[in-house]
Amino acid sequence: MLRRFAAYYRPYKKLFTITFACAILVALLDLAFPLVVNWAVDTLLPQGDISVIVWACIGLFFLYIFNTGAHFVVTYWGHKLGINIETDMRDELFDHMQRLSYTYYDNNKTGNLLSHLTNDLFEIGEVAHHGPEDVFIALMTLFGSFGVMLFINVKLAVLTFLIVPLLIAVIVYCHRHMAAAMKYMLKRMADFNTRVEDTVGGIRLVQAFANERHEQKLFHHDNQNFKQAKLWSYRIMGLNNSLSYMMMRIMTLFVLLCGAYFIVQNEMSIGDFMAFILLTNIFFQPIEKINAIIESYPKGYAGFKRYIALLDTEPDIVDAPGAKPLPEVEGNITYRGVRFGYDNNRPIVDGIDLSIEAGETAAFVGPSGAGKTTLLSLLPRFYDIQDGAITIDGKDIRDVQLASLRQQIGIVQQDVFMFSGTLRDNIRYGKLDAPDEEVREAARRAELESFVEELPDGLDTVVGERGVKLSGGQKQRLSIARMFLKNPPILILDEATSALDTETEQSIQRSLNELAQGRTTLIIAHRLATIRHADNIIVVTQDGIEEQGTHDALLERGGHYAKLHGAQHVYV
């Protein structure tokens, strides 16, 4: 993990070197100050020449100015280094998340993923800045100050160092417990984020059922858990800081007592004693810095472990070695012995054999849970089949590049997702580089033109979060406009009109019929009146494909489709 973490420093070697060098200079100059005081008190003062002392102070003043500049470099450029690394890691993680399959998102909470991108990476960024230089400088200052203390007075230095093992014992004890506390706190923070995301995202449902009190109770429970996790970490932090403070003050008193004794015994000068007191304070600084590291390191370490765990999650669906782009297709689709289940022990579709000709409109009907949506989700490889093969124009979809496969397929679903931008942005999502003329033409073909003309801002109207300002029919038309812009040779309509009223459905159906012209179109529908025109109607049940044929042929057969038709009282 250390090797992987260090790899993120490589693009910023120069920045790291500068900040690290300045940090070393700061530490060395801090060590030099007590020696200057020693020299001034024991050598310059006895000479009685005040001008020499003034010039020494002027030199020390300029030294402090230089040290101040070095402090600025360490603080600002050091944080810049940490932010750069944090930003790179966030980009890498987001790119990786884009490649994860539907299966991963089916099994993981959005709030947890947001926590990875925000809280975890903030803590990692802090460690990236403070970690290497703070540890190195702390050790250098600790041993450097002890070396100077030995140079001034061996006996007092050895006596002072005897208390260090006790401090190290406190630090090790607190670090072990702090790491566990931080891991627990990050988990609770993720749960907390998930609760907020669920409640805010579903606020209309919450208010519609008047379940505000219920959500408040759930939030209060997660909030209290988060609070207790933070209190646990702060309790350990407080114990560490308090014990360290007490032992440092004991060390100061010990140095004062022993130093006074050595002065009385003429084994130490006053200048040496003053320098030693200053060195004792410098000796404390790395210990305090180590305490700060103990506070931040477990957070960063726990965050980096979670980050690596997510980054090492292999996408279920990837391009096969040697996969080639799928060229423009005609749209011949074949399922051969296809088997798939979300749980390997319980297949949703099993042994499916199906052929759909290019330009044909095939409609899938049947009871809920029979696997219609699953069957069509296998075509763009949202999930990978466990057995059999699916081909487009004779090419196995697992042998072509995933991006090129999905570029050939357009999907219009019942639940249309809208980004919180403008109408123009949401339509252009079907073809990101489309000029305004093509966007307006796509809106016209989707029968959005009159609606857009009524808006003060036209296509620049903001649709709100998830398109909250649009009706269900308007969202569907916008989704259809995306498909006109994308212009794919294969089209999937997944219950695209089932949630609409009859008048809106008929209007949308006209747009869908135009959209389906010249394409291989796969339709999932519960309202049989919308698929009477289909070239092939495929009845899917729990046992697989029950029957298929045209509307009239299936009615004459008097099978499952005829029963569905009769149950819906379809009048034509």
Side-chain angles (χ1 to χ4, degrees), residues 117 129 140 181 195 218 248 251 270 289 342 367 419 442 499 552:
L117 284 169
H129 164 218
M140 189 187 80
R195 176 60 56 199
L218 294 176
M248 289 176 188
M251 184 184 288
I270 293 176
K289 195 177 287 288
Y342 301 104
F419 294 98
D552 293 334

Side-chain angles (χ1 to χ4, degrees), residues 181-416:
M182 288 302 116
K183 182 178 179 181
Y184 181 70
M185 189 181 78
L186 287 174
K187 181 181 182 303
R188 288 304 183 188
M189 187 183 294
D191 292 340
F192 174 83
N193 289 340
T194 298
R195 176 60 56 199
V196 173
E197 196 271 337
D198 281 349
T199 304
V200 173
I203 191 65
R204 288 165 181 79
L205 182 65
V206 172
Q207 293 180 352
F209 281 87
N211 278 341
E212 291 89 345
R213 292 292 301 168
H214 172 69
E215 291 299 326
Q216 287 168 8
K217 289 178 182 177
L218 294 176
F219 178 84
H220 178 74
H221 176 71
D222 285 333
N223 200 21
Q224 288 298 312
N225 284 339
F226 186 30
K227 169 189 169 184
Q228 293 303 320
K230 293 193 77 172
L231 286 175
W232 180 25
S233 66
Y234 287 136
R235 185 163 57 247
I236 297 169
M237 193 187 307
L239 178 66
N240 177 52
N241 291 340
S242 300
L243 288 175
S244 298
Y245 174 83
M246 183 185 72
M247 297 180 77
M248 289 176 188
R249 299 294 80 82
I250 290 173
M251 184 184 288
T252 302
L253 291 174
F254 182 75
V255 170
L256 286 172
L257 183 62
C258 293
Y261 173 78
F262 288 133
I263 289 175
V264 170
Q265 296 296 318
N266 291 321
E267 296 183 24
M268 193 176 197
S269 69
I270 293 176
D272 286 344
F273 180 62
M274 290 181 66
F276 207 96
I277 291 293
L278 292 172
L279 282 167
T280 303
N281 291 329
I282 294 173
F283 188 73
F284 290 156
Q285 289 176 10
I287 296 173
E288 291 172 348
K289 195 177 287 288
I290 289 170
N291 282 335
I293 293 169
I294 284 180
E295 179 183 337
S296 63
Y297 172 76
K299 295 179 185 178
Y301 180 72
F304 190 65
K305 282 187 71 175
R306 285 156 53 92
Y307 171 85
I308 289 298
L310 178 52
L311 204 62
D312 287 346
T313 301
E314 293 293 336
D316 296 331
I317 299 172
V318 294
D319 288 336
K324 297 179 180 179
L326 181 65
E328 190 71 26
V329 300
E330 294 180 14
N332 295 290
I333 300 169
T334 304
Y335 287 69
R336 293 198 306 269
V338 170
R339 182 181 185 275
F340 172 79
Y342 301 104
D343 180 352
N344 288 332
N345 299 322
R346 190 171 58 88
I348 303 297
V349 294
D350 194 5
I352 296 295
D353 292 300
L354 180 64
S355 292
I356 300 168
E357 299 295 326
E360 184 176 281
T361 297
F364 295 78
V365 299
S368 296
K372 302 183 296 297
T373 298
T374 300
L375 195 62
L376 297 194
S377 294
L378 298 175
L379 183 61
R381 290 188 70 195
F382 292 148
Y383 304 94
D384 255 348
I385 61 176
Q386 293 158 354
D387 199 9
I390 300 175
T391 63
I392 297 178
D393 292 351
K395 297 181 179 67
D396 193 311
I397 60 174
R398 291 169 295 188
D399 295 334
V400 300
Q401 292 178 1
L402 195 59
S404 67
L405 169 67
R406 292 175 179 174
Q407 285 169 358
Q408 307 282 352
I409 302 171
I411 302 173
V412 179
Q413 297 174 307
Q414 174 185 342
D415 184 16
V416 180

Side-chain angles (χ1 to χ4, degrees), residues 445-519:
R445 296 182 69 184
E447 298 190 13
L448 266 175
E449 192 173 34
S450 59
F451 166 67
V452 171
E453 288 174 352
E454 294 172 0
L455 299 171
D457 296 326
L459 286 172
D460 293 318
T461 301
V462 176
V463 301
E465 188 175 8
R466 300 196 178 189
V468 68
K469 296 181 181 180
L470 303 179
S471 69
Q474 289 161 353
K475 288 181 184 179
Q476 283 293 6
R477 287 192 181 94
L478 196 148
S479 179
I480 293 167
R482 282 178 185 165
M483 287 305 110
F484 274 120
L485 207 56
K486 183 177 183 180
N487 194 28
I490 299 173
L491 182 64
I492 296 175
L493 307 177
D494 189 353
E495 300 187 51
T497 62
S498 63
L500 305 176
D501 61 86
T502 303
E503 183 179 355
T504 304
E505 181 184 33
Q506 291 174 351
S507 174
I508 296 292
Q509 196 63 50
R510 289 196 302 271
S511 299
L512 289 174
N513 290 340
E514 182 183 349
L515 180 62
Q517 292 298 317
R519 311 176 201 274

